[in-house]
Amino acid sequence: PILWAWMGIEGRRSGKPGRPSGPRDLLMLFASGLFLGSTFALWHLSLELTSVATSTLLVNLAPVFVALGAWLFLGQRFGAAFLVGMALALGGAALLVAGGTSGLGGGEAAGDGLAALAAVFYAGYFLSVSGLRPRFSTAAVMAYGAPAACAALLPVALLSGEGLLPASWQGWAVLLAVALVSQVLGQSLVAYALAGLPAAFSSVALLLQPTIAAALAWAILGEALGPWQAAGGAVVLAGVVLARSGSRRG
């Protein structure tokens, strides 16, 4: 309801259509949500078969697939600065993940494959939303994509055998916070940014997520931040800055 109400308000303000004009528009909007939901579903399944560190590292390869898709399907070209910056950011993410655990490797090949496939689907999400944003408002993309994402996740949730509803008010509070902060706010900001930023750079910029998470865990939760993690975060930041300068040039 929040997303649909927002869609009506934003559609009137922006002048962009709040609703799809035909089956093709509807399919494209649903596809963006299916890509996102499938990403989370595959990532969740991979965690059952491989280590958290390996899974996270493989999912963070999404920028490579975004750049490849943008080159193959959208005809975008990338300068040397962007490519070097992307490589730096990916290397920094690897340092950040590997520096905080000794759990790299050791998982089943199926788990590693699912995590890599999740990266491909995440790239599909970025490319599809990037294509939708010139024509649809942020709220429209979210309002139509969210139900499709839920449809992709529901079978995995049912097959997991876990309870779908919280058993306490604290559980409901956490669930509501995740829905509003991570999904509505977080993914809406991603969709909003894709109206003005190239999909390839946006995906590279999201490699800042593990850097920010490690910094917050250190500042708020008192978790140790090792030298390799700190170095990895610095490399990610440098890579994102370099990739941004490269995307500006071309």
Side-chain angles (χ1 to χ4, degrees):
I2 296 174
L3 291 173
W4 285 90
W6 178 28
M7 180 179 66
I9 296 171
E10 189 180 23
R12 288 192 294 270
R13 289 180 176 177
S14 67
K16 295 180 180 179
R19 299 180 184 277
S21 59
R24 185 174 181 274
D25 286 345
L26 189 62
L27 181 62
M28 291 177 64
L29 286 164
F30 282 161
S32 68
L34 287 174
F35 277 127
L36 183 62
S38 298
T39 299
F40 293 141
L42 290 166
W43 196 353
H44 175 83
L45 291 172
S46 78
L47 292 172
E48 301 292 328
L49 300 172
T50 191
S51 68
V52 173
T54 300
S55 178
T56 302
L57 185 59
L58 289 171
V59 173
N60 278 332
L61 292 177
V64 175
F65 297 111
V66 174
L68 183 62
W71 175 61
L72 288 175
F73 303 116
L74 304 180
Q76 295 183 8
R77 298 291 183 267
F78 306 103
F82 173 83
L83 296 175
V84 172
M86 181 175 69
L88 274 176
L90 288 168
L95 276 177
L96 189 65
V97 173
T101 179
S102 58
L104 275 176
E108 296 183 17
D112 297 346
L114 288 172
L117 189 58
V120 175
F121 274 88
Y122 202 26
Y125 171 70
F126 270 88
L127 292 171
S128 60
V129 173
S130 181
L132 288 167
R133 283 294 286 117
R135 299 175 51 235
F136 292 96
S137 66
T138 300
V141 172
M142 293 298 300
Y144 283 94
C150 291
L153 284 166
L154 182 60
V156 178
L158 293 174
L159 290 173
S160 71
E162 300 174 1
L164 297 183
L165 298 177
S168 65
W169 70 266
Q170 293 95 334
W172 279 106
V174 171
L175 183 63
L176 183 62
V178 169
L180 293 178
V181 177
S182 299
Q183 178 61 28
V184 176
L185 179 59
Q187 294 301 326
S188 293
L189 288 172
V190 171
Y192 178 82
L194 283 169
L197 293 174
F201 169 73
S202 298
S203 65
V204 172
L206 281 186
L207 290 175
L208 288 169
Q209 287 181 112
T211 304
I212 295 171
L216 290 176
W218 170 73
I220 298 174
L221 302 178
E223 293 188 6
L225 187 64
W228 285 110
Q229 290 175 291
V235 173
V236 168
L237 183 58
V240 169
V241 171
L242 185 58
R244 181 54 180 155
S245 68
S247 65
R248 279 178 181 148
R249 292 191 188 107

